[in-house]
Amino acid sequence: MDDDRLKALLSQEISSALTYDDTELSQKRSKALEYYRGEMTDTPAMAGRSSVVSRDVADTIGWMLPGIIRVFMASDRMAMYEPEKPGDEEFAKQATDYINYIFLKDNPGYRIMWDATHDSLLLGNGIVKHWWDDKEECEYTEHTGLTEEQIAILQSEQGVEIVAQKEGEPQIILMPAPTGEMMEVPLPTFDVKIKRVTRNGRLRVKCIKKLLINKEATCIEDARFLAHPEDVTKSDLIEMGFDRDLVDSLPTDRFSSMQDDDLSRGEGLSRTFFNNVGDDSMTWIELHECYVKADVDGDGIAETIRAFYAGAGGAGELLDWEVWEDDYPFSDIPCEPVPHQWAARSVFDETGDIQRVKTVLTRQFLDNLYWVNNPITTAEDASV
């Protein structure tokens, strides 16, 4: 399978997954978000009448969420490893300490748990992404008054590069003259800007807003296609190591992939209309990190491929791909799993109709009470 065939396959899979998400999932997520905020566009208030909204969805989630979080975060141990055979006790203890440090200290574990559980209760599925991040980290520092020897010592350090240099104020030193007296001698110095590149690698965990999946999948493990869509800047893509000329040629149109829940979050329109404000390096690009099963070596057995596809609307570009031999870097937290389906039921599915009924009845009750307490006398004009 060459790059062109893989690019066409990814474009088709993304389009199919977006269609499934938009027709069956996105509208429900959008409605759940609006009900949670108290914005019931499907039950508009009449002009001059009561516009009160019952907040059953938000109240129910607010009542359930702290108790669920307390189960996992009440102690300093989020997870515990059990020894499998005699002699594993010390290794199990070290693994337990390590994973709890990684999740709770090296990553914002409490916020990740809160966000993922909140998404699960409100939207049905909370998605957590976990991966090994070996991206290079660049740190820029400026130094003044350095001598040539000091600059040479800096350049000898691994990962250090001088990106800018200019002459600085000369440094006056005292040196013995031929007559035996001390005299002042100017020593040239330089002002430099250096870049330090480090590549330590670390385990990263975060809660993501959306995961595209093929319609036939019932769980992440048996999915034929998975994609994590994310808005990144051109600067981010270049920092990830992709070719600058290819990044500059990527399409920036995001209308084709905007969905109802994006608009309900207040994100889609703002990033589309203001995409080209400021420096070009900060222009938003839609990046899909895809995992797809395909036969790449022609042996008739499908392998899992990880590919980065940037751009939307069928005009995107394949940035990079590789055969993926690890597990999928996604975990699903379903609120109420439905047999033979990936999309789970949420608190909104159970309380949305209650909020709508209570909102309508409360408005009618208040309108009637206002009329009773504030009667208005009317008369026919020119007849009295």
Side-chain angles (χ1 to χ4, degrees), residues 127 129 131 206-212 225-231 286-291 309 330:
I127 307 299
K129 183 180 179 183
W131 75 103
K206 75 173 183 178
C207 175
I208 61 176
K209 293 182 295 185
K210 185 184 297 183
L211 178 68
L212 299 179
F225 174 77
L226 292 171
H228 172 212
E230 187 177 18
D231 290 330
E286 190 171 27
L287 176 67
H288 290 83
E289 181 182 345
C290 305
Y291 296 83
Y309 184 91
F330 306 105

Side-chain angles (χ1 to χ4, degrees), residues 257-291:
S257 60
M258 282 169 50
Q259 296 177 296
D260 293 337
D261 54 330
D262 294 324
L263 301 179
S264 296
R265 296 179 192 269
E267 299 173 350
L269 288 176
S270 61
R271 289 190 177 180
T272 299
F273 292 137
F274 300 102
N275 202 12
N276 296 322
V277 175
D279 189 77
D280 182 66
S281 65
M282 299 307 294
T283 301
W284 291 105
I285 301 291
E286 190 171 27
L287 176 67
H288 290 83
E289 181 182 345
C290 305
Y291 296 83

Side-chain angles (χ1 to χ4, degrees), residues 347-365:
V347 171
F348 165 75
D349 294 323
E350 305 294 340
T351 60
D353 55 345
I354 298 175
Q355 177 168 323
R356 184 167 56 253
V357 170
K358 289 177 66 175
T359 296
V360 173
L361 294 179
T362 303
R363 288 176 181 176
Q364 293 175 352
F365 169 77

